[in-house]
Structure formats: C-alpha cells, structure tokens
C-alpha cells in the first residue's frame, strides 16, 4: 500500500509538471522576445547618429534616408509612413530641407516629435539665415544643441533612463567641444579664408570659423550657375589667392570642374554630411571622422599653417 501510494504521488507530480511546463514556457517566451527599446525614426544621417549615440542600447534607430541618397530628394514609400506613424520618437529638420518628411510628420506622427531646428541656435547669424542654409550640424556647437533636443525627447519617453540618456548626450557634447577646438586651431592661420564650394551648404561652418563662403550654385543643389557666375568666381578666386574649389560627395562635380579649369584651381571633396555612402559605412565612418576629414581637406585647400 505504501509503495503504491508513493508511485501515485510521483505520477501526480510528473503530470502536474507536464501540464505547467508548456504554460510557463508560453508565458516566458513573449517576455523574453519582447522588444522594449524606444523606436526612433530620424529623417537623415546626422539626426540618426545623434539619436543612436544618446539612446545607446535603449533605442532602435531607423534612418529614413538610405545611404548615398541626397536627402533633399527623398520620397517616402508607404513603409516609411508607417514607421513615422508608429515611432516613439521622430527627429527631423524643418524649414524645407526635406519637404516630404515634414508633410509626413505633420500628417502621421503620433509619438514625440523633435524638430532640431527649434532651440538649436540656428539662424542666430542673420546672413546665414538669409541664405536659407539648413546645414546647422556643420557647426559642432550648434549640433550639440540638436543633441540636447534628442536627449530631452528620449527622457520624455522613458524617464527611468534619464541619467543614461543625459550622460550619453554629455559625452557626445564633450567630443563636439573637442572637435570645435580642433577646427578653431586648424583654421586659425590660412593663406586664404575664401572657400569656394559647389553649393551654399557650408554657411554655418564658415560663420563658425571666420571663413568666407562663395558658392557656385545657390542654396539649392539643383540650381544651375550661369556663365556670369562662373566668371565672377574666377575673379574672386584670383583676388583671394584661392587654390581650391570644393566639390561635394553626393553631388555631381561637373560645375566644380568647369570653374577649376577656368580659374586654374585644384578641386577637393568636402562633405556636407547629409549622409554616408556605403563605403563610408563599411569603413566605420561617422559624423566625427567625416568632420575631421573635412578639416584636413579645408586645411589643405586654404593652405593653413
């Protein structure tokens, strides 16, 4: 009798475990697989970089602008609209830089929306603002203001991680302060301060470091310069002792080569950092490394000590 009772108890325990184990496994599975990261949609590369550095492992960042694509020309597929609608945070730049994104954010976004042009200090230089130059991030000090905006948004979504987000933002800002100092020292003494560029994308950078930007085209990269503008810039280059005209990595260099031939100038590649090409991503380039390459390009082209 005792032996039979013992066997019944063991069998009962085994059956109970067989019943409970699938239930426990079923309840644990979704918990383990659940994605608790904050979903962030960024409209183009510098904003995606800031979000990833500030958010770290707590965020999943999607860049709406594919590698090698000119962000001004971005058109949004239905999948992109769905991403904007479902994102916890959407980071973009107002002012007509990406009209399709601005329209989609206004119509679709339901999460926290961050317009990095607001409160970043952009437009404080009246001449830059008048030129309609949206490239705020090329001034590291103004870019730090954009980083702050991103950090504030992430804290709003998840206050429990506020210390992490603010700490990550501060670390990036320290790196930007160092980058700013490198530019100030590196461009302090140059044979010429005249910077001839493909289009007017470097106004904030020029204003930050006391350079004089002369663009072949206007603020729109699609605008075509007329022969009179080319002739004017030939004279500007000669008067300023310029040696180099700067092309851009996502634009055709045809007009740059025309001016270089007319004025006897060299040409060099300068990045407005609107995005990274596939090769740059493969080489682990980022905002900081490309900006430092820009600095070396400027030092060579402006003949700096």
């Amino acid at each position: 009798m005792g032996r039979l009772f013992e066997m019944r108890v063991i069998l009962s325990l085994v059956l109970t475990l067989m019943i409970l184990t699938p239930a426990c496994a079923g309840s644990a599975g979704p918990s383990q697989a659940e994605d608790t990261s904050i979903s962030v949609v960024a409209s183009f590369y510098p904003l995606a970089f800031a979000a990833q550095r500030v958010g770290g492992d707590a965020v999943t960042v999607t860049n709406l602008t594919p590698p090698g694509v000119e962000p001004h020309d971005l058109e949004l597929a239905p999948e992109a609209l769905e991403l904007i609608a479902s994102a916890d945070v959407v980071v973009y730049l107002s002012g007509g830089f990406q009209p399709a994104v601005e329209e989609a954010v206004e119509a679709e976004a339901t999460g926290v929306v961050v317009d990095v042009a607001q409160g970043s200090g952009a437009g404080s230089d009246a001449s830059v603002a008048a030129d309609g130059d949206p490239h705020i991030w090329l001034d590291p000090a103004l870019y730090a203001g954009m980083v702050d905006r991103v950090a504030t948004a992430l804290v709003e979504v998840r206050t429990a991680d506020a210390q992490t987000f603010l700490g990550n933002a501060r670390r990036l800002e320290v790196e930007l302060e160092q980058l700013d100092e490198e530019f100030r020292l590196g461009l302090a003494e140059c044979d010429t301060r005249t910077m001839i560029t493909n289009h007017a994308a470097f106004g904030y950078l020029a204003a930050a470091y006391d350079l004089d930007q002369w663009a072949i085209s206007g603020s729109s990269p699609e605008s075509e310069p007329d022969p009179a503008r080319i002739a004017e810039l030939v004279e500007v280059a000669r008067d300023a002792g310029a040696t180099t005209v700067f092309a851009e990595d996502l634009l055709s260099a045809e007009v740059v080569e025309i001016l270089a031939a007319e004025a006897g100038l060299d040409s060099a590649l300068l990045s407005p950092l609107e995005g990274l090409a596939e090769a740059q991503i493969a080489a682990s380039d980022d905002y900081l490394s490309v900006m430092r390459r820009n600095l070396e390009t400027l030092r060579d082209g402006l003949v700096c000590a």
Side-chain angles (χ1 to χ4, degrees):
M1 179 71 175
R3 175 74 174 170
L4 181 60
F5 177 77
E6 185 179 344
M7 290 180 65
R8 285 177 177 173
V9 170
I10 293 172
L11 180 61
S12 175
L13 288 171
V14 170
L15 290 172
T16 300
L17 287 171
M18 290 176 65
I19 292 169
L20 290 177
T21 298
C24 292
S27 63
S31 175
Q32 293 169 354
E34 183 180 356
D35 184 3
T36 60
S37 64
I38 300 171
S39 59
V40 180
V41 168
S43 62
F44 64 107
Y45 172 73
L47 310 188
F49 176 75
Q52 191 62 69
R53 283 291 307 267
V54 173
D57 293 337
V59 299
T60 299
V61 180
T62 301
N63 182 359
L64 291 177
T65 305
V69 172
E70 169 59 55
H72 302 276
D73 302 330
L74 182 66
E75 295 182 5
L76 299 177
E79 294 81 3
L81 298 178
E82 291 173 9
L83 286 170
I84 291 171
S86 62
D88 297 316
V89 178
V90 178
V91 189
Y92 81 109
L93 177 71
S94 65
F97 180 65
Q98 291 181 296
V101 173
E102 290 190 53
E103 183 179 339
V105 168
E106 184 175 347
E108 306 290 343
T110 58
V112 175
V113 174
V114 184
D115 174 8
V116 293
Q118 302 299 319
S120 64
S124 58
D125 184 298
S127 64
V128 173
D131 288 339
D133 181 357
H135 299 77
I136 310 164
W137 58 91
L138 292 179
D139 178 342
L142 293 181
Y143 186 51
M146 298 165 74
V147 170
D148 273 341
R149 296 274 294 163
V150 172
T152 299
L154 293 179
V155 170
E156 182 178 344
V157 172
R158 185 175 295 170
T159 55
D161 288 336
Q163 186 174 356
T164 297
F165 297 147
L166 295 176
N168 289 345
R170 182 56 193 150
R171 279 185 284 275
L172 178 53
E173 288 163 10
V174 168
E175 292 182 68
L176 293 173
E177 289 168 7
Q178 179 181 344
L179 179 67
D180 177 57
E181 184 65 13
E182 290 174 24
F183 266 79
R184 291 191 186 282
L185 292 174
L187 300 175
E189 297 182 20
C190 305
D191 286 357
T192 180
R193 308 204 73 77
T194 296
M195 178 182 174
I196 302 176
T197 62
N198 196 329
H199 91 289
F202 300 92
Y204 283 103
L205 187 151
Y209 304 111
D210 192 28
L211 301 177
D212 188 15
Q213 177 185 230
W214 288 78
I216 301 172
S217 304
S219 58
S220 170
E222 289 81 18
S223 61
E224 292 291 336
D226 57 23
R229 180 61 172 173
I230 296 292
E232 178 186 13
L233 290 177
V234 168
E235 291 303 314
V236 167
R238 287 172 180 164
D239 291 345
T243 64
T244 305
V245 55
F246 298 100
E248 295 173 35
D249 47 12
L250 295 180
L251 296 180
S252 168
E254 183 179 357
V255 294
V256 168
E257 298 303 333
I258 290 171
L259 176 58
E262 289 282 341
L265 301 175
D266 294 327
S267 63
L269 199 62
L270 200 61
S271 176
L273 256 164
E274 295 175 352
L276 298 183
E278 293 281 6
Q280 291 174 308
I281 294 171
S284 299
D285 268 328
D286 62 14
Y287 171 89
L288 296 164
S289 65
V290 175
M291 281 293 284
R292 287 190 169 97
R293 195 170 302 128
N294 278 346
L295 174 57
E296 291 309 309
T297 300
L298 286 169
R299 282 178 50 78
D300 289 343
L302 302 178
V303 193
C304 302

